[in-house]
Amino acid sequence: MKPANTSYRTKFIFITGGVLSSLGKGLAAASIGALLESRGLTVTFQKLDPYINVDPGTMNPFQHGEVYVTDDGAECDLDMGHYERYTNAVMAQKNNYTSGRIYYSVITKERRGEYLGGTVQVIPHITDEIKNAILQMDGSVDFAIIEIGGTIGDIESLPFLEAIRQFRFDRGRQNTLFIHVTLVPYIKTAGEVKTKPTQHSVKELRAIGIQPDILLCRTEKNLTSELKAKIALFCNVPTDAVITARDVKSIYEVPVHFHREGLDDKILELLNVWTGAPRIEPWEELMHRIQHPAHRVTIGIIGKYVELTESYKSLHEALVHGGLANDARVDLRYVSAEDLEARDDVGELLAGCQGILVPGGFGERGVRGKIKAISFAREQKIPFFGICLGMQLAVVEFARSIAGMNDANSTEFDLTTGHPVIYLMKEWFDYRTGQIQVRDEKSDKGGTLRLGSYPCQLAPSTLALAAYQQEEIFERHRHRYEFNPEFRQALTDKGLIISGTSPDNTLAEIVELADHPWFLGCQFHPEFKSKPMKPHPLFREFVRAALQHAGSS
Ligand code: GLN
């Protein structure tokens, strides 16, 4: 091992996962980030995903969960959402790499002749490309937390593991740390927790040259000191580096639990970093508020992926945050849009929902059911929040029911409609890139979305302005279709309020209804910017309206 170089600013923490997936590596990474920030240190993150897709933009949410969107328009893994929710770190394209993206770049270089006729191999070419990706995190922060997707033992993740093994060799022990998240299952029939899977997983890691420094053991029960000692002995780590990561009710309890287990102290000790005492109180206070809400409210989410809440991760969290801002627990009821479509008793399916939310989505499945739910919310004066597709369908519903445009539709679903109130702009000015974008219905699916952060100007005396309390806001987009300006006059004449527009007033970004307690649809995805410590204004106000509705009904 080379001598430790103390001149580097950034220390790298690598997080791997063992035994099985879904152990909450992303949340562990985010929580570690939160704990380091609570000591005044700066952090950033990177997620390295072993799959071959270049990004998850085109992946089915059923399989992969939500596609998270950053300010700079990256379509990325949902763990990036956890990182941003728990810390001040701002995620971007460079914070998420897949094997596909790494290989793509190496192959592109090879085609350009950059390897000068050499044989291009996994080691060193792919591993160097991975290390260069990781090194983009170098220098600007105190800690870079790098999460390796997948599970130890997968063939796909080997190049990433080899790259981080080399990384420690390059940078030395004082600058790198390996944390392994593993499972210590409780076996009912034996009445005890078992350490064997952890032993095997660590053995596997060591076989490829990585000795973990800290083990985060996911478990139902607290690990006794005897058990920790046993794991320590078999896995070759100090006993105080075996950390219990107990199942908790709310994901926002994790930083506090980790802190109580001494995780942040251990990390700093191993990396030889001295800091002041952590300010853990805000997380303790948050935990208290989550555990003791004064109110309760039920929100109905009308969706396509109702079976899999991972598909609506950020949305789910933003609603929890909206509840926190109102001292309320938010119970989410996922209602299948297709069930609504098939049945006449919309009221029965939505009974007990004090607020109705139609989230973003692609494709025609369930659209009629979503429109039914919107009619119901509008007529029954139940607080309504439409996001992206939800906003577009609110416009369609209004055009059909109030403005007499019976065949109104989005051209995503009907190309021949006489009233294309939502349409595909063939040419539009992309503020972020400063370029005119051109496309039509036949364009590629990739690269034709409006993606990332865009400014929006809010109109006076609107729900939107009342929520945000500022005239210019920035929100993240991920959609192809837009409100058609040709119908703006006709619809506003009938009472539709356009409360947010692009700064040049061409794109309608937020719509509202007067004569309704709270009815708002936005073209962007506000859920990506909500944090437990800083609930998003629209979610805060939506939940408040739902609570008022609960109180009045
Ligand atoms: N399918 C719609 C569009 O492409 C809405 C997308 C979304 O809800 N994210 O514009």
Side-chain angles (χ1 to χ4, degrees):
M1 183 107 0
K2 289 180 188 170
N5 185 333
T6 45
S7 65
Y8 296 120
R9 169 171 177 201
T10 303
K11 310 250 181 198
F12 286 81
I13 299 178
F14 296 101
I15 303 196
T16 54
V19 185
L20 41 87
S21 59
S22 306
L23 287 185
K25 269 192 317 243
L27 282 171
S31 299
I32 290 168
L35 289 174
L36 294 172
E37 276 195 349
S38 80
R39 294 177 181 254
L41 299 160
T42 54
V43 301
T44 193
F45 298 84
Q46 193 177 47
K47 175 91 193 272
L48 302 176
D49 280 309
Y51 53 78
I52 308 292
N53 305 58
V54 174
D55 64 45
T58 52
M59 282 163 89
N60 181 345
F62 267 128
Q63 268 183 35
H64 191 261
E66 156 188 284
V67 175
Y68 189 75
V69 180
T70 58
D71 276 343
D72 74 340
E75 297 180 277
C76 50
D77 188 81
L78 57 78
D79 279 328
M80 309 286 277
H82 292 313
Y83 307 157
E84 286 199 330
R85 280 189 283 273
Y86 280 66
T87 68
N88 297 313
V90 177
M91 294 296 101
Q93 205 93 45
K94 66 172 192 272
N95 301 85
N96 192 191
Y97 276 84
T98 66
S99 289
R101 196 167 155 206
I102 297 281
Y103 274 81
Y104 193 71
S105 149
V106 169
I107 292 169
T108 310
K109 284 185 191 165
E110 187 273 334
R111 291 289 84 184
R112 271 198 241 118
E114 285 185 28
Y115 297 108
L116 305 172
T119 309
V120 182
Q121 294 176 302
V122 173
I123 305 170
H125 301 99
I126 295 295
T127 46
D128 278 354
E129 195 73 23
I130 295 171
K131 286 200 283 182
N132 286 337
I134 296 172
L135 279 170
Q136 290 179 90
M137 306 293 108
D138 200 22
S140 58
V141 286
D142 300 323
F143 283 84
I145 301 169
I146 316 287
E147 181 189 345
I148 316 292
T151 308
I152 298 307
D154 296 347
I155 291 174
E156 289 91 339
S157 53
L158 283 174
F160 288 113
L161 298 170
E162 169 59 16
I164 65 171
R165 183 196 68 75
Q166 293 176 15
F167 205 96
R168 165 164 277 187
F169 185 81
D170 296 343
R171 284 283 168 113
R173 265 180 194 281
Q174 293 228 340
N175 299 307
T176 54
L177 191 76
F178 291 124
I179 297 182
H180 189 54
V181 184
T182 169
L183 179 71
V184 181
Y186 176 72
I187 304 297
K188 260 206 201 97
T189 46
E192 56 180 324
V193 293
K194 292 290 184 188
T195 63
K196 194 73 81 187
T198 296
Q199 295 176 34
H200 278 286
S201 178
V202 171
K203 190 172 139 207
E204 194 88 21
L205 254 185
R206 289 167 63 193
I208 44 184
I210 296 174
Q211 165 64 53
D213 300 297
I214 294 177
L215 295 177
L216 286 182
C217 304
R218 284 301 308 274
T219 160
E220 285 172 51
K221 313 246 171 210
N222 269 335
L223 299 181
T224 60
S225 43
E226 291 78 35
L227 229 106
K228 284 188 174 181
K230 182 177 173 188
I231 295 173
L233 180 67
F234 280 109
C235 298
N236 202 30
V237 298
T239 313
D240 64 352
V242 180
I243 305 287
T244 304
R246 259 198 79 159
D247 294 353
V248 282
K249 283 219 175 70
S250 158
I251 57 171
Y252 300 117
E253 295 178 21
V254 178
V256 176
H257 284 278
F258 278 180
H259 176 67
R260 290 182 184 161
E261 277 282 304
L263 175 61
D264 41 334
D265 277 330
K266 193 71 202 168
I267 292 174
L268 296 172
E269 177 201 315
L270 289 170
L271 289 171
N272 201 17
V273 174
W274 296 87
T275 71
R279 270 201 70 238
I280 199 77
E281 300 77 21
W283 287 99
E284 282 170 339
E285 196 257 335
L286 180 74
M287 187 162 132
H288 183 82
R289 267 190 297 145
I290 291 175
Q291 288 169 347
H292 305 97
H295 314 285
R296 248 179 119 145
V297 67
T298 302
I299 304 290
I301 298 178
I302 320 301
K304 189 159 81 166
Y305 305 112
V306 286
E307 301 86 352
L308 206 70
T309 52
E310 288 284 290
S311 318
Y312 297 119
K313 193 89 211 160
S314 296
L315 182 69
H316 181 131
E317 296 310 323
L319 284 163
V320 170
H321 308 160
L324 282 169
N326 289 286
D327 199 6
R329 173 181 151 165
V330 178
D331 293 316
L332 304 181
R333 173 143 22 115
Y334 287 93
V335 181
S336 152
E338 283 170 299
D339 284 353
L340 279 170
E341 216 162 80
R343 287 171 49 175
D344 292 327
D345 51 348
V346 178
E348 228 158 274
L349 279 171
L350 297 175
C353 296
Q354 282 110 24
I356 292 175
L357 191 151
V358 176
F362 291 82
E364 197 172 8
R365 239 179 76 197
V367 158
R368 278 186 302 123
K370 291 176 189 176
I371 291 178
K372 269 189 183 173
I374 296 168
S375 300
F376 182 76
R378 184 177 52 73
E379 285 162 4
Q380 302 300 315
K381 306 223 182 292
I382 301 169
F384 168 79
F385 195 3
I387 295 178
C388 208
L389 179 64
M391 173 265 201
Q392 297 174 352
L393 295 180
V395 173
V396 169
E397 198 279 333
F398 183 88
R400 289 182 188 173
S401 310
I402 308 290
M405 306 175 187
N406 296 335
D407 69 339
N409 214 332
S410 160
T411 55
E412 183 177 3
F413 313 122
D414 181 2
L415 269 176
T416 60
T417 169
H419 296 94
V421 290
I422 304 294
Y423 80 137
L424 194 73
M425 282 170 94
K426 300 282 176 317
E427 236 185 64
W428 55 288
F429 180 68
D430 184 338
Y431 290 93
R432 243 171 356 91
T433 58
Q435 284 171 348
I436 304 249
Q437 301 262 9
V438 185
R439 63 185 169 185
D440 62 27
E441 277 82 10
K442 289 188 214 73
S443 299
D444 279 0
K445 284 268 183 270
T448 56
L449 288 165
R450 177 145 77 106
L451 277 171
S453 184
Y454 283 82
C456 170
Q457 211 68 38
L458 302 183
S461 314
T462 56
L463 293 174
L465 188 62
Y468 283 97
Q469 299 282 325
Q470 66 194 59
E471 280 166 18
E472 192 186 39
I473 56 159
F474 287 83
E475 291 285 1
R476 298 181 192 172
H477 292 249
R478 181 173 184 251
H479 55 99
R480 205 166 275 124
Y481 295 83
E482 305 279 353
F483 185 115
N484 188 342
E486 234 180 83
F487 294 91
R488 190 156 155 181
Q489 194 63 49
L491 294 175
T492 48
D493 283 351
K494 290 287 180 191
L496 187 74
I497 298 165
I498 295 185
S499 57
T501 61
S502 56
D504 65 359
N505 200 18
T506 55
L507 301 167
E509 307 280 42
I510 312 179
V511 299
E512 299 178 11
L513 290 184
D515 195 25
H516 190 288
W518 209 88
F519 188 106
L520 184 144
C522 52
Q523 186 57 85
F524 46 79
H525 287 274
E527 69 270 28
F528 293 140
K529 286 181 77 170
S530 188
K531 300 183 181 209
M533 302 287 185
K534 223 172 130 205
H536 191 284
L538 291 181
F539 284 92
R540 185 190 69 220
E541 292 310 306
F542 173 56
V543 172
R544 177 174 300 168
L547 278 163
Q548 272 163 10
H549 181 78
S552 65
S553 58

